[in-house]
């Protein structure tokens, strides 16, 4: 059975998601569903057909992101076991897996529940995705320091730390600017925010921050490609538990000496 190289998962996820955002942005602007000047990412996917494209592609991207988080967990775990690294690093690595999976789930939720249809569910997905995503980035930075110089270079430490700072700053700025913009807003449709609707400058600060925040997260995933080229994955093995009593076949215990399990590669 062919298994793709492990580095393809962060590579695909880090390229697919921004490409999806740009595609739905282009379609929504072309169809007049949103404005050209810096809408939120979600504003570009509130109406069909772009909302359908957005949901489908982001779901695929979320799956690849979740797989990437698992590979990262196994990578750090193997280094911890092989080099007897501190237990604190192992615990952080385990926690970061669940944090990352929570963020991937949030990404799928915000893609499938449009803000114009189920606003509060969409916001739950938003905070899960970007809030837990921010925590995962910092976990990745800390584990990277733990793996230096075994597999993480000094240059990559600087890059990931910089991306973590950018992601965190953009996340906080997005939230604060959004609240101020909403306070001054007096328009009819927030997905088509006009300069005359009030709070325009704060709105642009918030939307630009969201795009920067998403880009920082994508680049962090992309930074894993080089390290994932150094590791591989064996083909999974399936254990079949053979029932020698109730089977309709002529099977005896002598056919499986020492065990009632059959291992299939």
């Amino acid at each position: 059975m062919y298994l793709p190289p492990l580095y393809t998962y962060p590579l695909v996820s880090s390229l697919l998601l921004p490409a999806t955002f740009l595609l739905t942005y282009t379609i929504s602007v072309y169809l007049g569903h949103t404005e050209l000047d810096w809408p939120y990412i979600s504003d570009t996917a509130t109406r069909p057909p772009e909302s359908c494209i957005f949901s489908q592609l982001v779901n695929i991207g979320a799956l690849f992101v979740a797989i990437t988080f698992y590979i990262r967990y196994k990578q750090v775990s193997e280094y911890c076991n092989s080099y007897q690294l501190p237990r604190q690093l192992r615990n952080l690595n385990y926690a970061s897996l669940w944090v990352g999976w929570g963020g991937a789930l949030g990404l799928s939720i915000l893609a499938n529940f449009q803000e114009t249809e189920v606003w509060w569910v969409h916001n739950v997905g938003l905070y899960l995705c970007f809030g837990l995503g921010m925590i995962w980035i910092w976990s990745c930075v800390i584990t990277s320091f733990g793996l230096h110089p075994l597999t993480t270079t000094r240059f990559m430490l600087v890059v990931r730390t910089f991306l973590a700072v950018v992601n965190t700053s953009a996340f906080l700025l997005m939230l604060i600017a959004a609240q101020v913009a909403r306070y001054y807003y007096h328009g009819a449709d927030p997905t088509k925010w006009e300069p005359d609707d009030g709070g325009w400058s704060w709105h642009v600060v918030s939307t630009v921050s969201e795009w920067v925040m998403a880009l920082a997260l994508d680049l962090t995933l992309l930074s894993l490609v080089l390290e994932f080229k150094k590791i591989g994955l064996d083909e999974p093995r399936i254990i079949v538990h053979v029932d020698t009593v109730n089977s309709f076949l002529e099977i005896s215990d002598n056919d499986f000496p020492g065990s009632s399990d059959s291992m299939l590669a």
Side-chain angles (χ1 to χ4, degrees), residues 22 47 65 113 137 141 186 191 237 264:
L22 292 175
R47 297 175 177 87
V65 168
F113 294 87
I137 290 181
V141 169
H186 51 73
T191 64
R237 306 183 73 184
L264 300 181

Side-chain angles (χ1 to χ4, degrees), residues 163-186:
L163 291 174
V165 172
V166 170
N167 179 271
T168 303
S169 302
F171 178 71
L172 297 176
L173 189 58
M174 178 196 71
L175 296 180
I176 296 172
Q179 294 301 320
V180 177
R182 191 174 294 113
Y183 175 79
Y184 289 108
Y185 180 71
H186 51 73

Side-chain angles (χ1 to χ4, degrees), residues 45-123:
T46 57
R47 297 175 177 87
E50 60 267 23
S51 61
C52 306
I53 299 172
F54 186 86
S55 298
Q56 182 63 42
L57 294 182
V58 171
N59 281 335
I60 297 173
L63 175 61
F64 274 82
V65 168
I67 295 174
T68 299
F69 289 154
Y70 179 74
I71 297 172
R72 174 64 177 179
Y73 161 74
K74 293 297 292 183
Q75 176 203 23
V76 177
S77 179
E78 286 300 317
Y79 275 98
C80 287
N81 294 333
S82 300
Y83 292 91
Q84 297 300 305
L85 298 179
R87 178 176 295 274
Q88 292 85 344
L89 190 63
R90 303 184 189 191
N91 294 338
L92 175 63
N93 182 44
Y94 181 73
S96 68
L97 172 64
W98 289 100
V99 168
W101 279 353
L105 174 62
L107 178 61
S108 179
I109 290 175
L110 72 85
N112 290 281
F113 294 87
Q114 285 75 34
E115 59 177 329
T116 54
E117 302 298 329
V118 195
W119 179 83
W120 70 272
V121 177
H122 177 85
N123 271 12

Side-chain angles (χ1 to χ4, degrees), residues 7 9-11 13-15 68 72 75 136-137 140-141 144 151-153 155-161 163-164 215-230:
Y7 69 85
Y9 295 98
L11 181 62
S13 58
S14 61
L15 296 179
T68 299
R72 174 64 177 179
Q75 176 203 23
W136 180 86
I137 290 181
C140 184
V141 169
S144 296
T151 186
T152 307
T153 63
F155 172 75
M156 197 55 66
L157 290 179
V158 174
V159 169
R160 288 176 184 164
T161 302
L163 291 174
L215 179 62
L217 181 55
D218 285 328
L219 291 177
T220 304
L221 293 173
L222 186 62
S223 73
L224 296 172
V225 170
L226 292 178
E227 291 185 20
F228 282 12
K229 285 185 176 181
K230 304 175 185 178

